[in-house]
Amino acid sequence: MTDVEIVIDEHPALVVAEMLAEAARAGGNVALTGGSTPRLAYERAAELQRDWTRVELWWGDERCVPPDDERSNYGMAKAALLDRVELGPVHRMRGELGKKQGAAEYDVELGPLARFDLLLLGLGKDGHVASLFPDEPTLDENEARVIGAEAKLEPFVDRITLTLPMLRAARAVVFLATGADKADAAVRAFAGEPSRATPASLVRALEGTTTAVLDPAAGRNLV
Ligand code: 6PG
């Protein structure tokens, strides 16, 4: 697996916002992440770049809730980014369909797409990535690109998630994690041996770059 470049910065959201804005200018396929951490990066990216018509937007995972639910990853990105820029095609995961039908439908939506140009990922304090949780059978999926999953952390709603092969296929994988409660997971994910106990440690771009953008609190055990 390729190494991960670790970037520790006082303003990680701005670092990621610049990467997103550059990807929007370059065009291609960009997959967004959910959770709370990327919201500021999305808001900044919208300020840095208004024209997103050259980029197709996708998601790495989604909670099985309607798009206007406060737990929706699409809903968060819509408020923080999509509603503030000129958009190209937007491919949201339809969480409201449930994990099985939602995953099947997203596989159809992906069509011939084999890899993202930029894949943004968060990091759970348990080391999970997208909705791939520690020691779960979802980690063994080697064929499908997108599957249903059970949540092992808040919010306890079913999930739709890309699989490890689809995450690893990205040209550029970018992790964004902030806060002291991510420090242990960050060491296991970015400086430890690859392990099913830390799914993020299993995600590196096979033929591309992998970058972890952290604030000093999340990166404190990596300096
Ligand atoms: C989700 C996410 C998940 C997230 C981590 C970190 O749907 O929950 O995609 O993988 O990135 O749980 O979440 P926070 O940024 O809220 O800590």
Side-chain angles (χ1 to χ4, degrees):
M1 292 209 296
T2 55
D3 283 346
V4 55
E5 182 198 352
I6 296 173
V7 176
I8 297 178
D9 193 284
E10 291 290 345
H11 306 291
L14 196 49
V15 172
V16 169
E18 282 157 359
M19 292 172 168
L20 289 168
E22 180 46 40
R25 284 188 286 271
N29 291 282
V30 171
L32 301 177
T33 187
S36 55
T37 306
R39 181 190 296 275
L40 183 56
Y42 294 162
E43 291 169 354
R44 290 282 176 280
E47 289 163 13
L48 290 172
Q49 178 69 16
R50 294 282 181 209
D51 180 359
W52 289 62
T53 57
R54 283 188 292 281
V55 76
E56 298 205 27
L57 288 175
W58 304 83
W59 275 259
D61 72 324
E62 182 60 281
R63 293 93 178 259
C64 291
V65 294
D68 57 358
D69 186 291
E70 63 178 14
R71 297 163 294 178
S72 166
N73 288 341
Y74 166 80
M76 184 276 281
K78 183 175 185 300
L81 174 63
L82 278 59
D83 287 348
R84 305 174 189 221
V85 299
E86 258 189 279
L87 287 171
V90 172
H91 308 276
R92 83 174 173 89
M93 290 180 169
R94 297 174 62 187
E96 67 273 24
L97 297 177
K99 65 182 179 185
K100 202 159 181 303
Q101 192 187 344
E105 201 234 29
Y106 209 62
D107 189 62
V108 173
E109 182 85 11
L110 283 166
L113 186 68
R115 56 193 319 211
F116 296 105
D117 298 290
L118 176 63
L119 167 69
L120 183 62
L121 294 169
L123 174 68
K125 56 181 180 238
D126 61 349
H128 82 261
V129 63
S131 283
L132 298 171
F133 292 92
D135 300 309
E136 285 293 298
T138 50
L139 297 171
D140 304 319
E141 179 57 56
N142 281 320
E143 301 300 321
R145 297 176 293 182
V146 54
I147 55 176
E150 272 174 44
K152 299 298 174 186
L153 211 65
E154 283 288 352
F156 287 105
V157 290
D158 279 347
R159 309 293 184 89
I160 301 167
T161 183
L162 298 178
T163 58
L164 284 176
M166 196 60 186
L167 300 179
R168 291 170 174 155
R171 285 189 175 80
V173 173
V174 176
F175 288 92
L176 171 61
T178 61
D181 65 343
K182 301 291 176 70
D184 292 343
V187 167
R188 290 185 280 118
F190 308 128
E193 285 305 307
S195 161
R196 293 165 55 79
T198 308
S201 72
L202 303 173
V203 179
R204 302 289 187 273
L206 286 177
E207 292 166 26
T209 61
T210 307
T211 310
V213 182
L214 313 170
D215 70 352
R220 70 178 182 204
N221 302 332
L222 286 164
V223 290

